[in-house]
Amino acid sequence: MKRYPPLMLAPIVPALIVHLPLTGATDAYLDPGTGSIILQMVIAGFVGGLFAVKLFWGRIGSFFRNLLSPGAKR
């Protein structure tokens, strides 16, 4: 993990001290388009995952064949 020097984080602390007490309750809502976008992202992730499996199926299959074969080197 990369360690940051304290001087790099120095501007963040005063900003948090000033802005956190000023935050109040927010009036937010989800419009119908939000659910549609979330559904599209889920479907796109699923289809992208299937495409990645299809693309690398040979490597995935050979990995499990080597893993499960009795004469595999370990």
Side-chain angles (χ1 to χ4, degrees):
M1 187 165 98
K2 187 175 181 181
R3 299 201 57 138
Y4 295 104
L7 291 177
M8 266 181 89
L9 300 176
I12 296 173
V13 175
L16 289 176
I17 291 172
V18 170
H19 291 291
L20 284 180
L22 298 177
T23 58
T26 56
D27 297 326
Y29 70 97
L30 296 175
D31 60 1
T34 305
S36 173
I37 289 177
I38 292 171
L39 181 63
Q40 288 179 27
M41 289 183 347
V42 168
I43 291 172
F46 180 72
V47 171
L50 287 177
F51 180 74
V53 167
K54 176 186 176 284
L55 193 63
F56 295 108
W57 184 250
R59 290 183 184 181
I60 294 170
S62 67
F63 172 76
F64 283 112
R65 273 192 301 277
N66 291 338
L67 187 67
L68 298 176
S69 65
K73 296 179 183 176
R74 293 190 182 182

